[in-house]
Every structure is written in structure tokens, then in C-alpha cells.
């Protein structure tokens, strides 16, 4: 009787392990991005597809164009239905994804939590007011970091090209 139980348990674990490890669907995502590189500063920044961007053309350097980045291909980008070559741009600006975005989100969360905690201590005006003021400063700094727009001057060391980020959330 014990042998049947042990054999059944072994078969159950083997079958359940193989079922769990099977890949049911291919959940691979591909995100097209603008990759900005500055070799002198050794920096790399990215702006993803569907982002709001601003850009200047070399032919009309006084006017700043704005739009939504609809598609990114080799050597060009499509903004609001218009095809713009990278070589025609003198400046591209937009929200970049970097460490600063993560730090800004953390600062915003800490600031909001601190404001709530300080308001709970409002009975003691000095302590509660100081905590609320510190939380407000952290919240404002976090919001500034999250909403900051980075400008890439393509005539001063920045190079732009298309790239893709491929990842699988299930792995």
C-alpha cells in the first residue's frame, strides 16, 4: 500500500512539473524606440513609440514641431502621419526612460505618504508641519523628475537611431 502511494506521488510530481514548465502562449512584446547615444559622455537614452515629442528640422531651425511618435523605422520616424528622416532633424526632445523616472516615482510616493503621516500628527503643529513640508518637497521633486523632458541636440554629440526592445513578461 505504501509503494502505491509513493509511486503515485512521484508520478503526480513529475506530471505537474512538466505541465507547469510548458509554455502555453508566446507573450513576447516588441517595443520600438528611438535610441540616443552620446559617445563623448558615454550615455544612452531612449524614447519609446507613442510618446509625445518635439523636434526641429534643419531646414527650419526656428520652428519647433510637436506630435506623437507613431512609428520608428531604420533612418526615419513617423510623427502624426508625416515621415521625418533622422538626418533632417537638428533637435529631438521627449520624456526619456532612465533611472531618474524610477527615482521620481519613489520620491512622489514617499512625499505623498509623508504628507498623510504629517497630517495625522497635526495636533503638534511644529512636528506635523515640518513633516508635511518635507513630504511636500519630496512630492514636488518627484513630480518634476517624472515629467521632465530631455532635449537631444543632434549637432552637439548626440546620435539617434532606431532600435527595438524585445522581452517576454512570462519568462
Amino acid at each position: 500500500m505504501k509503494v502505491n502511494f509513493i509511486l503515485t506521488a512521484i508520478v503526480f510530481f513529475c506530471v505537474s512539473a512538466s505541465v507547469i514548465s510548458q509554455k502555453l502562449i508566446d507573450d513576447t512584446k516588441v517595443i520600438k524606440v528611438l535610441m540616443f547615444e552620446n559617445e563623448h559622455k558615454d550615455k544612452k537614452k531612449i524614447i519609446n513609440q507613442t510618446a509625445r515629442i518635439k523636434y526641429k528640422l534643419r531646414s527650419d531651425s526656428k520652428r519647433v514641431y510637436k506630435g506623437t511618435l507613431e512609428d520608428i523605422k531604420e533612418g526615419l520616424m513617423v510623427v502624426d502621419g508625416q515621415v521625418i528622416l533622422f538626418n533632417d532633424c537638428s533637435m529631438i526632445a521627449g520624456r526619456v526612460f532612465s533611472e531618474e523616472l524610477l527615482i521620481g516615482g519613489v520620491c512622489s510616493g514617499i512625499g505623498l505618504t509623508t504628507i498623510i503621516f504629517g497630517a495625522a500628527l497635526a495636533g503638534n503643529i511644529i512636528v506635523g508641519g515640518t513633516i508635511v513640508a518635507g513630504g511636500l518637497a519630496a512630492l514636488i521633486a518627484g513630480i518634476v523628475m517624472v515629467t521632465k523632458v530631455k532635449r537631444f541636440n543632434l549637432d552637439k554629440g548626440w546620435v539617434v537611431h532606431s532600435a527595438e526592445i524585445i522581452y517576454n513578461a512570462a519568462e
Side-chain angles (χ1 to χ4, degrees):
M1 180 111 148
K2 287 185 179 181
V3 175
N4 287 339
F5 177 73
I6 293 172
L7 287 175
T8 306
I10 291 172
V11 169
F12 175 75
F13 286 123
C14 290
V15 170
S16 65
S18 68
V19 169
I20 290 172
S21 66
Q22 287 181 351
K23 193 174 201 179
L24 299 176
I25 58 171
D26 184 20
D27 198 22
T28 303
K29 304 280 186 202
V30 177
I31 300 173
K32 294 181 180 181
V33 296
L34 289 177
M35 174 73 74
F36 295 92
E37 293 183 77
N38 192 325
E39 292 181 6
H40 302 304
K41 297 179 182 178
D42 196 30
K43 290 186 179 182
K44 293 182 181 181
K45 305 287 183 181
I46 61 172
I47 297 177
N48 68 336
Q49 186 177 344
T50 70
R52 297 281 301 157
I53 64 167
K54 297 177 185 178
Y55 60 96
K56 285 184 183 179
L57 297 176
R58 293 186 195 283
S59 60
D60 186 15
S61 62
K62 300 289 183 190
R63 185 171 176 202
V64 176
Y65 298 91
K66 299 177 185 179
T68 302
L69 187 58
E70 293 175 354
D71 194 14
I72 302 167
K73 297 180 181 172
E74 190 66 36
L76 62 92
M77 61 184 174
V78 179
V79 180
D80 290 339
Q82 293 185 331
V83 176
I84 295 119
L85 297 174
F86 295 149
N87 294 336
D88 293 342
C89 294
S90 63
M91 183 275 301
I92 300 174
R95 284 184 49 211
V96 298
F97 290 96
S98 63
E99 310 84 37
E100 223 173 70
L101 186 67
L102 178 65
I103 293 169
V106 169
C107 281
S108 298
I110 289 172
L112 187 62
T113 304
T114 305
I115 289 172
I116 293 169
F117 180 69
L121 296 175
N124 187 343
I125 294 176
I126 295 172
V127 173
T130 304
I131 292 174
V132 167
L136 188 61
L139 180 65
I140 291 171
I143 290 172
V144 167
M145 284 182 181
V146 168
T147 60
K148 187 173 161 184
V149 173
K150 174 77 174 153
R151 299 178 73 120
F152 301 100
N153 190 338
L154 301 178
D155 294 331
K156 294 188 178 177
W158 287 100
V159 178
V160 62
H161 59 274
S162 61
E164 291 181 341
I165 297 175
I166 302 170
Y167 71 97
N168 190 341
E171 290 180 351

